[in-house]
Every structure is written in structure tokens, then in C-alpha cells.
Amino acid sequence: MDLKSNHTAPVVADSAPISKSRLGVPSSLLPYSSSGAFSPNLFLTVPRKKNGILDDIRASSLDAMKSSSPPHKKTRDFNNDLVAADTDVAYRTWMVKYPSALTSFEQITNFAKGKRIALFLDYDGTLSPIVDNPDSAFMSNDMRAAVKKVAKCFPTAIISGRSRDKVYEFVGLTDLYYAGSHGMDIMGPVTQFSDDHSNCIRSTDKQGKEVNLFQPAGEFLPMIDEVFNLLVNNTKEIQGAKVENNKFCVSVHYRNVDEKNWTTVAQCVNKVIRSYPRLRLTHGRKVLEVRPVINWDKGKAVTFLLESLGLSNCDNVLPIYVGDDRTDEDAFKVLREGNCGYGILVSSVPKESNAFFSLRDPQEVMEFLKSLVIWKKTTSAL
Ligand SMILES: [Mg+2]
């Protein structure tokens, strides 16, 4: 993979003719060049022109805040049968391009035959429902059981925007790999690959097992803490605003802020980061996120983990990434461009994506995970 390339447009619009990829699914984005070997150069900075002030301003505009925040609950419009029918038609039309991973399950497993599946899961909105209070984004016991079973069958990693400790607290399972702060804080296995890698430090996990910590943005920790404190202070008068320190990024949640005050939230955040040219602003679902300007994202975290786990050979490995957010698009894009794995977008509304398939909500994600376990057990028994 070329770490020098800029992934500044995670959501793409494409209308090229449908073609078949080696993954056996229609793809209008091919051909793509295959990604090369993982580069150890982790400190390439993203040019400010692409991810700097201009993006920050654009990202924090009210329109961007609205467009990045599709409703997660049914609105009153849905009570209107006509609107509901139109919405359903729009979703079904969208699913032609992004078929359900459940109805396409056979196609996925056919391609997985003879390969090892490596599973990557986002947390919020994928394993847990999006809730008003981000501290209450608990996953259900049923989901936890499903993740536990699937992780026994396939190498599984959780890649979240949350801090690694926080997402571990939510998931509470061992035998998984955890990447917090959008992949900027990875706890992975001790291997030669990670030993040779700069920014890897040997540590122990909560069970006392030896692990490697990979933190490409380590030098930003004091700056992130400083910005967190400033944002807490500057937004304390905005009712409903919540600032979360995710170790290598700071999240400003505006889910509970009255829409008429969203501009104030954006202005507050912009005012703070204006003094920090090495930080940039990105959008999640009703959240503004302040991150270091480094050439690192969830897509690079996937590549790093695959390399660390010795699973980077596309000929015998099938990575599957399930996520719901803009930040997951970086991972979808890596799999699509490498032509070696499947991105699955979790969404109940149509939106453009680099994913190949879709699932409507965490409930369907759970069904998909359960299906993978059954398939694995069935095929292993043959
Ligand atoms: Mg998410």
C-alpha cells in the first residue's frame, strides 16, 4: 500500500459500468491497482492543503454537520405511509449496488473457500446501537456472545474511534485485537513484523499476556490532552455538548445539542484547533473529531494488523471489515483498492460507500456473525 497517497475523499460517487472483480462482486470502481507491501514509514504528514484549514472549515459547516448525521431513529415523516414507501423504494434501489451481506452470504463464503477470514469490526453503530449518551453505547449480551464465538473461529479485531481502553471496557472480551483512536492505538500480537516496526513497544495486556503496542501518533499525546481541556472549557456553556478524550483524538458529540446551536459547536471547535496546525477536524455520526495530521487511519490500521498477524497474502486470506461510519470508509477503500476483501457498510439509509455489501443495523450484523460461525463449523466438519 502506498502510504504517500492521500485518502481525502472517503465517500465516492461512481457511475461507471458494472464489472466483476476478482472478489466476484459487481464493482464499478475497478480497476484498481493492487496495494503493495506495507511501508514502515508512518510519519508522513498529510499536506495541510488537503486536510487542513480548508477542510476544517468545510467539515464544520452546518451542512456538513447535517449531512454527516443521518437520523438513527425513525422521524415523524416515517409515520406517513407514502414517505415510508418512498424511503423503502430508495433503500431497495440502493441495495442493488450494496447488496445485503446476509442475502449474499453464499457468495461471500464461496469466495472464502480455501482462505482464512480475518474479521474487522467497528464498535459504535456496528456492534452497539447509536445512543444519545456515548457513555451508554453498550453492546447486548447476545452480541457479545456472537463476537466471542466468531473470534474463536477467525482472527478478529475491533477498530474504533474510541480510546482502546474504552472500547475494551464495552466489549469485555479477550482473544480479540483492539485498535482505538481510529487505529492510532493498536494492541497486537508480538511478532517479528511488529518488533521490526518503529513505534511498537512491548507491553502486557490486562491478562498479563505479552503484546505489542503500536502508537504512530504517540508524540501528539500532550497536545491532545491540552486540546481536550480547552474544548471542555469552551463548550461547557453549550447544553448537550459532550467532549470525550479518546487518547489520540478528541470527540465533540453534538447529538444532544439543539440543532440551532450546532453552528456554535462548530465555531468553538474551529476556534480551538486554529491554533493547532498539526491537528485536523473530521466528522462522524453527530460528532466532530479532532485528530493528529498524520498519514494514518482505519485503513492503514487494517493493513498493519494483517501484516502483524501474517495475514497479508490475499491469495489465502479474506479480510472482512464491518462498519457504519465515514472513518470506516478508509478501511473499505483499502480492501476495495487491494481487491482482496469485503467492506460491509452498516446503514439503514442509502449512502455512497466504498463497501461491497450492506447490513441494515447491529441486529443484522449479529446475524451475519452467527452465520459465519455456523458456516465455519459446517465446513470444518466436512
Ligand atoms: Mg461506528
Side-chain angles (χ1 to χ4, degrees):
M1 189 173 67
D2 179 11
L3 287 183
K4 290 179 181 174
S5 63
N6 292 318
H7 300 286
T8 54
V11 180
V12 297
D14 57 316
S15 55
I18 291 174
S19 62
K20 289 272 184 182
S21 75
R22 64 180 278 203
L23 295 174
V25 297
S27 169
S28 52
L29 290 178
L30 299 179
Y32 271 121
S33 59
S34 294
S35 58
F38 182 84
S39 162
N41 186 359
L42 307 170
F43 289 99
L44 294 171
T45 53
V46 180
R48 196 66 179 155
K49 186 183 171 190
K50 290 277 178 76
N51 281 308
I53 296 296
L54 289 177
D55 267 9
D56 298 342
I57 292 169
R58 190 178 57 197
S60 60
S61 71
L62 193 58
D63 284 348
M65 289 173 88
K66 285 178 179 172
S67 68
S68 73
S69 309
H72 66 284
K73 292 175 181 170
K74 291 182 178 180
T75 67
R76 63 184 178 188
D77 281 343
F78 282 70
N79 291 329
N80 181 315
D81 289 346
L82 204 58
V83 173
D86 283 351
T87 305
D88 198 42
V89 168
Y91 192 79
R92 285 172 190 279
T93 306
W94 175 77
M95 283 179 77
V96 172
K97 190 172 177 184
Y98 306 98
S100 164
L102 291 173
T103 54
S104 306
F105 190 75
E106 197 177 335
Q107 183 187 341
I108 294 171
T109 49
N110 275 342
F111 192 76
K113 277 177 189 161
K115 297 170 186 271
R116 287 187 75 190
I117 287 177
L119 201 53
F120 298 92
L121 304 167
D122 168 49
Y123 182 74
D124 290 270
T126 298
L127 298 181
S128 74
I130 297 290
V131 292
D132 287 341
N133 181 358
D135 287 336
S136 304
F138 304 114
M139 66 195 288
S140 67
N141 287 334
D142 285 348
M143 180 66 94
R144 186 170 293 101
V147 174
K148 187 175 183 175
K149 283 180 184 168
V150 86
K152 282 191 188 305
C153 298
F154 314 104
T156 301
I158 310 282
I159 302 187
S160 170
R162 305 268 196 159
S163 73
R164 185 168 46 77
D165 285 345
K166 186 77 184 175
V167 78
Y168 177 79
E169 205 177 288
F170 277 131
V171 177
L173 296 171
T174 54
D175 300 327
L176 298 181
Y177 302 104
Y178 288 91
S181 310
H182 299 294
M184 286 183 281
D185 187 12
I186 300 176
M187 183 179 276
V190 174
T191 62
Q192 189 61 45
F193 173 78
S194 45
D195 277 350
D196 293 346
H197 218 290
S198 59
N199 285 90
C200 266
I201 52 169
R202 198 66 68 87
S203 184
T204 52
D205 66 8
K206 289 187 167 33
Q207 289 71 47
K209 193 171 72 183
E210 210 172 18
V211 292
N212 260 321
L213 276 183
F214 178 67
Q215 298 176 333
E219 63 179 289
F220 286 84
L221 276 177
M223 191 187 289
I224 292 289
D225 282 342
E226 194 175 293
V227 166
F228 168 72
N229 290 327
L230 283 170
L231 286 171
V232 167
N233 196 49
N234 289 14
T235 59
K236 66 184 177 193
E237 303 297 331
I238 306 172
Q239 197 177 357
K242 181 174 173 55
V243 185
E244 185 180 11
N245 188 340
N246 290 319
K247 197 165 183 177
F248 292 101
C249 60
V250 180
S251 301
V252 182
H253 301 272
Y254 56 93
R255 179 168 299 278
N256 295 326
V257 175
D258 193 311
E259 194 171 325
K260 69 177 190 300
N261 293 326
W262 285 7
T263 310
T264 315
V265 175
Q267 284 169 346
C268 270
V269 177
N270 262 322
K271 193 176 167 191
V272 170
I273 69 163
R274 209 171 286 149
S275 309
Y276 295 88
R278 297 183 72 203
L279 299 179
R280 67 183 170 120
L281 192 60
T282 60
H283 257 119
R285 288 172 69 171
K286 290 192 178 170
V287 62
L288 297 173
E289 294 184 304
V290 179
R291 299 206 247 170
V293 179
I294 64 166
N295 195 6
W296 196 262
D297 52 39
K298 286 184 170 183
K300 302 212 170 39
V302 166
T303 306
F304 177 84
L305 275 163
L306 286 170
E307 295 275 4
S308 295
L309 296 166
L311 298 172
S312 56
N313 185 349
C314 279
D315 291 335
N316 54 27
V317 176
L318 179 67
I320 296 176
Y321 188 106
V322 190
D324 73 313
D325 209 307
R326 279 192 181 192
T327 56
D328 298 310
E329 292 294 333
D330 294 317
F332 296 154
K333 195 172 179 184
V334 162
L335 297 185
R336 186 180 274 270
E337 289 186 355
N339 205 16
C340 66
Y342 292 126
I344 301 175
L345 175 68
V346 183
S347 181
S348 59
V349 293
K351 54 183 172 183
E352 287 298 316
S353 174
N354 283 300
F356 276 114
F357 296 108
S358 66
L359 289 168
R360 194 179 273 267
D361 51 30
Q363 185 65 29
E364 286 200 358
V365 172
M366 187 166 72
E367 284 178 46
F368 179 73
L369 299 182
K370 286 179 175 175
S371 300
L372 280 176
V373 171
I374 292 168
W375 171 78
K376 174 72 176 177
K377 288 184 175 167
T378 309
T379 51
S380 299
L382 292 176

